[in-house]
């Protein structure tokens, strides 16, 4: 463990509470007059031991108005959800047929909004204003459970960050070779340049990240909408008359749910999003985050599903099979079908914008997970981390690990992504619902029919993922 290697030795336990000694990544915490055994018996990490953290505001919530920054957050969360998979979503989801997909669409809107709203409320339930999700699980569920959930949270998101490092390298390399007809630079140099470019945006701060995401996502939305409208004259209404049996209908809905859940998933950015809403809006944070998440879910439902339905209305079942077997994006398939090179050129543009904007949101979640793991391990050993040094360590870790994976492009990444699917769905759907029934700070959300809906659809999505992995 990095903690064990860099921590050093402890100081005597006779100093004043909150004082520290040492420099570097870990500073030694000099405990209070309570014995170490007494501290270990405490079920959760108390917030009083960290005077730098602000207590949650106690002001009464008031009316909230929509601001430009709320629009930027909606755009950023939209970008987190819409990864490069958007180009393959019509093929993977469209094979279910029109009517099952319509039924799933009716379900997916409330599923996305209510699950992400519950996760944001879970983060906001902490009595410490600066807490992220790793702090909240420790506060509510205790040290052991908190550590376990934090580790699972990190490993649910970190592989996706690695996948995006590979994806952006492959996308730009393919664009240079196929569209620009140039010789690409060495893969190690190309991947490093792209990763440093994306990481520099994250290091520049929240406002720069939101501005860059806005610059990427607005064209993405316009392209998706423009393509959807462009395809309308080519719609084949024969798909409306293909009605599956009742059994096939239900099974198809069940197996299609995870496809859309992951296509709309922006949970990796929710913790940072909720924490910053509380910083900016205090007691109005819940109402403000609810409103922003509602707009995000609506944008995803309208623009993404319009694109999906417009695509599937142009394809026959035989064409779906052909596109699936060729493992090409729907834009590449349409470019070949319609002999339209413009559509083919739009593919790399959509992929680039989608990958970069989604990388930002997933990096936020993975960074929080790693910071939580190191901080928790340090506190267990009686040490406190130096924030600046820790941030530098985390940035270097991500640059090096994403770069190495992007160079070698291992095929196992797809398998890892499939295996972590149930974990992501469980954190998004089931963890907040469990907290509502077990955590006093979440008790005010009990008794709503939406909780039953989120729990039932979450269990359905998780079980469908397991079924698809095992069959």
């Amino acid at each position: 463990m990095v903690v064990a290697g860099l921590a050093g030795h402890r100081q005597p336990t006779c100093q004043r509470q909150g004082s520290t000694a040492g420099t570097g990544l870990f500073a030694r915490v000099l405990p209070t007059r309570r014995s170490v055994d007494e501290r270990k018996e405490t079920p959760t990490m108390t917030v009083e031991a960290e005077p730098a953290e602000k207590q949650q505001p106690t002001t009464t919530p008031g009316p909230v108005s929509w601001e430009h920054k709320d629009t930027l957050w909606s755009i950023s969360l939209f970008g987190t959800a819409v990864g490069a998979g958007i180009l393959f979503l019509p093929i993977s989801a469209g094979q279910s047929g029109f009517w099952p997909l319509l039924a799933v669409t009716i379900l997916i809107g409330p599923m996305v909004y209510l699950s992400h709203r519950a996760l944001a409320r879970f983060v906001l339930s902490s009595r410490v204003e600066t807490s992220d999700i790793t702090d909240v699980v420790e506060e509510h569920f205790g040290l052991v459970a908190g550590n376990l959930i934090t580790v699972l949270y990190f490993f649910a998101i970190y592989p996706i960050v690695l996948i995006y490092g590979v994806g952006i390298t492959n996308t730009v390399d393919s664009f240079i070779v196929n569209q620009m007809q140039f010789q690409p630079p060495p893969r190690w140099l190309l991947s490093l340049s792209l990763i440093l470019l994306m990481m520099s945006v994250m290091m520049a701060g929240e406002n720069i990240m939101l501005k860059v995401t806005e610059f990427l996502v607005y064209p993405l939305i316009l392209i998706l909408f423009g393509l959807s409208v462009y395809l309308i004259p080519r719609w084949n209404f024969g798909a409306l008359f293909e009605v599956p049996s009742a059994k096939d209908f239900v099974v198809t809905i069940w197996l299609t749910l995870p496809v859309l859940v992951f296509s709309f998933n922006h949970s990796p950015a929710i913790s940072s999003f909720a924490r910053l809403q509380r910083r900016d809006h205090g007691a109005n944070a819940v109402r403000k985050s609810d409103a922003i998440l509602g707009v995000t879910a609506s944008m995803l439902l309208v623009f993404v599903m319009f694109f999906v339905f417009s695509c599937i209305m142009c394809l026959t079942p035989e064409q779906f099979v052909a596109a699936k077997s060729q493992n090409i994006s729907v834009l590449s398939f349409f470019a070949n079908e319609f002999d339209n090179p413009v559509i083919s050129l739009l593919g790399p543009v959509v992929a680039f914008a989608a990958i970069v904007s989604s990388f930002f949101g997933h990096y936020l979640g993975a960074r929080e997970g790693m910071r939580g793991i190191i901080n928790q391990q340090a506190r267990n050993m009686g040490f406190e981390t130096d924030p600046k040094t820790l941030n530098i360590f985390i940035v270097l870790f991500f640059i090096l690990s994403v770069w190495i994976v992007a160079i070698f492009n291992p095929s196992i990444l797809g398998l890892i992504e499939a295996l972590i699917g149930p974990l992501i769905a469980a954190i998004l759907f089931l963890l907040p619902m469990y907290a509502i029934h077990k955590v006093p700070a979440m008790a005010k959300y009990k008794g709503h029919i939406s909780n039953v809906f989120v729990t039932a659809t979450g269990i359905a999505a998780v079980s469908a993922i397991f079924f698809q992995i095992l069959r």
Side-chain angles (χ1 to χ4, degrees):
M1 292 292 293
V2 65
V3 174
L6 299 175
H9 63 277
R10 302 180 188 176
Q11 292 290 311
T13 60
C14 58
Q15 304 295 326
R16 184 174 298 178
Q17 177 177 355
S19 61
T20 60
T23 57
L25 179 57
F26 296 98
R28 293 184 291 275
V29 175
L30 305 181
T32 65
R33 292 175 182 174
R34 291 193 310 160
S35 68
V36 175
D37 290 338
E38 283 179 295
R39 186 173 59 200
K40 288 182 178 178
E41 291 173 0
T42 305
T44 61
M45 297 297 292
T46 59
V47 299
E48 290 79 10
E50 298 178 1
E53 293 178 329
K54 297 179 182 179
Q55 296 297 319
Q56 185 173 345
T58 56
T59 56
T60 303
V64 294
S65 59
W66 191 263
E67 304 168 357
H68 178 63
K69 195 169 186 179
D70 302 334
T71 302
L72 294 182
W73 269 114
S74 296
I75 291 294
S76 179
L77 295 174
F78 179 96
T80 299
V82 180
I86 182 65
L87 298 179
F88 296 88
L89 178 62
I91 296 173
S92 57
Q95 294 180 81
S96 60
F98 178 85
W99 293 110
L101 185 60
L102 179 62
V104 174
T105 302
I106 295 172
L107 291 174
I108 201 65
M111 283 178 67
V112 170
Y113 170 63
L114 295 173
S115 59
H116 287 83
R117 184 187 71 172
L119 187 61
R121 289 178 172 181
F122 174 69
V123 176
L124 293 171
S125 68
S126 173
R127 57 196 180 109
V128 181
E129 183 180 349
T130 56
S131 291
D132 58 31
I133 190 171
T134 65
D135 302 313
V136 178
V137 294
E138 186 174 321
E139 177 184 338
H140 290 333
F141 302 132
L143 189 60
V144 175
N147 287 346
L148 176 61
I149 294 173
T150 298
V151 171
L152 294 177
Y153 176 76
F154 170 72
F155 282 106
I157 302 173
Y158 176 59
I160 302 178
V161 176
L162 299 178
I163 290 168
Y164 282 139
V166 173
I168 192 68
T169 303
N170 292 343
T171 298
V172 174
D173 183 86
S174 175
F175 182 79
I176 293 173
V177 173
N178 297 315
Q179 272 73 40
M180 300 180 67
Q181 303 291 319
F182 290 159
Q183 182 69 26
R187 188 174 179 89
W188 69 267
L189 179 59
L190 177 63
S191 57
L192 179 62
S193 302
L194 293 168
I195 292 164
L196 288 177
L197 181 64
M198 294 190 295
M199 290 296 295
S200 65
V201 174
M202 301 307 298
M203 294 169 63
E206 169 199 352
N207 290 330
I208 298 298
M209 183 271 290
L210 291 175
K211 286 291 185 182
V212 173
T213 304
E214 180 185 27
F215 175 77
L216 292 169
V217 174
Y218 274 132
L220 178 61
I221 292 174
L222 289 175
I223 291 173
L224 290 179
F225 183 75
L227 285 170
S228 303
V229 174
Y230 172 79
L231 293 173
I232 289 177
R234 295 171 171 80
W235 282 7
N236 174 19
F237 290 92
L240 301 180
F241 301 98
E242 298 176 4
V243 181
S245 65
K247 179 182 177 182
D248 291 341
F249 186 81
V250 173
V251 171
T252 302
I253 291 176
W254 177 52
L255 296 179
T256 307
L257 270 180
V259 176
L260 293 184
V261 165
F262 290 122
S263 298
F264 287 4
N265 174 44
H266 44 284
S267 62
I270 290 297
S271 177
S272 294
F273 159 75
R275 179 172 52 83
L276 293 171
Q277 295 311 305
R278 180 157 50 186
R279 182 201 66 186
D280 295 341
H281 302 286
N284 285 321
V286 171
R287 298 176 64 182
K288 178 63 75 171
S289 63
D290 287 355
I292 294 172
L293 291 172
V295 172
T296 302
S298 300
M299 290 172 58
L300 287 166
L301 192 64
V302 171
F303 290 106
V304 175
M305 292 313 298
F306 182 29
F307 175 66
V308 171
F309 274 105
S310 193
C311 289
I312 68 171
M313 290 291 288
C314 297
L315 298 175
T316 64
E318 293 75 21
Q319 288 174 316
F320 274 123
V321 174
K324 184 75 172 179
S325 62
Q326 296 174 44
N327 193 28
I328 58 175
S329 73
V330 70
L331 294 189
S332 298
F333 187 83
F334 282 139
N336 297 334
E337 285 291 311
F338 304 146
D339 193 23
N340 189 333
V342 175
I343 295 180
S344 181
L345 285 173
L346 289 177
V349 176
V350 172
F352 180 85
I355 290 173
V356 174
S357 60
S358 193
F359 173 88
F360 292 158
H362 285 80
Y363 173 76
L364 289 175
R367 182 182 65 184
E368 279 192 344
M370 170 161 275
R371 183 186 292 123
I373 291 172
I374 295 175
N375 282 333
Q376 288 168 352
Q377 293 299 317
R379 287 197 296 266
N380 292 346
M381 298 173 63
F383 292 85
E384 192 67 31
T385 57
D386 175 65
K388 290 184 179 179
T389 308
L390 178 58
N391 285 337
I392 293 173
F393 172 79
I394 290 175
V395 167
L396 291 176
F397 170 82
F398 275 97
I399 290 175
L400 290 175
S401 61
V402 176
W403 181 37
I404 291 171
V405 172
I407 292 174
F408 291 100
N409 192 12
S411 59
I412 195 174
L413 285 179
L415 175 61
I416 294 174
E417 184 180 22
L419 293 176
I420 64 176
L423 188 55
I424 295 174
I427 291 174
L428 176 59
F429 286 92
L430 304 182
L431 177 63
M433 295 299 104
Y434 177 79
I436 286 175
H437 291 278
K438 294 296 182 180
V439 176
M442 297 281 287
K444 58 185 176 182
Y445 301 120
K446 282 184 179 180
H448 297 286
I449 190 65
S450 60
N451 297 339
V452 178
F453 175 80
V454 172
T455 303
T457 53
I459 292 174
V462 172
S463 62
I465 298 167
F466 275 119
F467 176 80
Q468 289 172 334
I469 291 174
L470 296 175
R471 74 173 179 176

